[in-house]
Amino acid sequence: MFGRMQRSEKITMNLLLLILAAIWVIPMVYLVMYSFEGDQWGNYQAVVSLDLFPHFLINSFIVSTSVVLLLLIVVSLAAFGFSKLRFPGDSSVFAICLIGLMIPPVAMLVPLFQTIKSFHWMNTYLSLIGPEVAMSIPFSLLLARNAFDEVPGELLEAAEIDGSNAWGRFVHVMLPLAIPVLTTIGILAFLNSWNQYVLPLVFISKETMLTVTMAPKFFIKEYTSDYHKVFAALVLITIPVVILYIFGQKYMQRGLTSGAIK
């Protein structure tokens, strides 16, 4: 079905990929260059010297790590249930879970605000962790279930014959085989949570509870703004994301293609 690409097709494909790469790289280059204008390294020193910056880093790490752990637990169990455990209405319930893919996160801000306020979660980690996990479930569940569907049922039957119950089959058979897709889900969840801007802006008013994405606003005043330091803060915020992607890209590629071939 898929033949070898001709030389002209390879050249065309490489040119298109270079153009797409340039679209993403050029703004990043301008971001770094602009961050060095003015005080040069002094811009970065001003960001790091900000009294609240360590709090921002710690808060972002706590929130992002908690989101990843909770999401992996919920999604792996749910994907195993939808993929390998049959129950009445399983297809309908799965379709309902995927409805979240069609709802823009911004459209849920008002009901989320009312919910967080009624739970007395304002200015707490839960106000950032709970909504982020809930909004990440639909896409993560779709990826995980497709990957779990690839696992042959004969493996689970063999484990059942050996005396393993449902929990044992999940822990000893499914989880080891699902490491690529679960790693992908974890990386994507960490990136989304680390880069989250709207939720801290809406649910957090206490400065010591803000996340790292709020650091640039401390250099934007009512009448004056030091945009060189703002861009320096944006570069520092991006560094952990870039490092995580560099080390996890091979797992992301394997995880995103899981379930593509039946």
Side-chain angles (χ1 to χ4, degrees):
M1 181 176 178
F2 298 99
R4 297 185 62 181
M5 297 180 63
Q6 300 295 326
R7 184 179 181 86
S8 59
E9 293 175 337
K10 291 181 179 179
I11 294 175
T12 303
M13 181 65 68
N14 288 331
L15 287 175
L16 290 175
L17 291 176
L18 285 174
I19 293 173
L20 289 174
I23 293 174
W24 289 98
V25 171
I26 290 176
M28 294 297 298
V29 173
Y30 275 104
L31 175 65
V32 175
M33 292 175 57
Y34 200 69
S35 68
F36 280 103
E37 293 185 4
D39 295 335
Q40 297 183 348
W41 287 105
N43 295 327
Y44 290 89
Q45 182 65 32
V47 176
V48 176
S49 300
L50 192 66
D51 292 338
L52 293 171
F53 194 72
H55 291 279
F56 297 159
L57 289 175
I58 294 173
N59 293 337
S60 291
F61 181 78
I62 292 174
V63 171
S64 300
T65 305
S66 301
V67 167
V68 170
L69 293 176
L70 288 175
L71 183 65
L72 289 179
I73 293 173
V74 172
V75 167
S76 59
L77 290 171
F80 177 68
F82 285 122
S83 178
K84 302 303 181 183
L85 303 178
R86 300 303 175 190
F87 56 91
D90 54 351
S91 299
S92 299
V93 175
F94 182 72
I96 293 173
C97 292
L98 297 185
I99 291 177
L101 291 172
M102 299 180 286
I103 303 176
V106 177
M108 295 186 289
L109 275 182
V110 174
L112 273 177
F113 182 83
Q114 295 296 333
T115 303
I116 296 299
K117 188 176 180 180
S118 63
F119 286 171
H120 303 288
W121 285 358
M122 299 293 290
N123 292 312
T124 66
Y125 291 131
L126 292 175
S127 66
L128 305 178
I129 297 172
E132 187 67 34
V133 171
M135 290 187 292
S136 301
I137 284 177
F139 181 69
S140 301
L141 180 59
L142 180 63
L143 286 180
R145 200 199 73 159
N146 289 341
F148 281 23
D149 285 342
E150 279 192 340
V151 178
E154 290 78 5
L155 289 177
L156 299 179
E157 292 175 1
E160 186 176 3
I161 292 174
D162 290 338
S164 179
N165 55 18
W167 178 254
R169 296 194 296 272
F170 169 72
V171 173
H172 300 294
V173 179
M174 296 300 297
L175 283 185
L177 296 176
I179 287 178
V181 71
L182 293 180
T183 303
T184 300
I185 292 172
I187 292 174
L188 291 175
F190 187 92
L191 298 182
N192 291 334
S193 180
W194 184 272
N195 293 327
Q196 182 60 250
Y197 181 82
V198 176
L199 296 182
L201 184 65
V202 175
F203 300 139
I204 303 296
S205 59
K206 189 177 179 181
E207 290 187 346
T208 55
M209 291 298 298
L210 292 174
T211 57
V212 74
T213 52
M214 296 290 104
K217 80 172 189 175
F218 284 83
F219 301 100
I220 301 176
K221 307 301 180 182
E222 184 176 359
Y223 299 106
T224 59
S225 300
D226 194 339
Y227 287 105
H228 300 302
K229 292 181 176 61
V230 170
F231 280 88
L234 292 175
V235 172
L236 291 175
I237 293 170
T238 307
I239 290 175
V241 174
V242 173
I243 294 175
L244 180 62
Y245 178 77
I246 289 175
F247 286 100
Q249 61 179 336
K250 66 176 182 179
Y251 296 104
M252 291 186 66
Q253 292 170 358
R254 292 173 57 189
L256 290 173
T257 55
S258 298
I261 299 176
K262 296 293 184 181

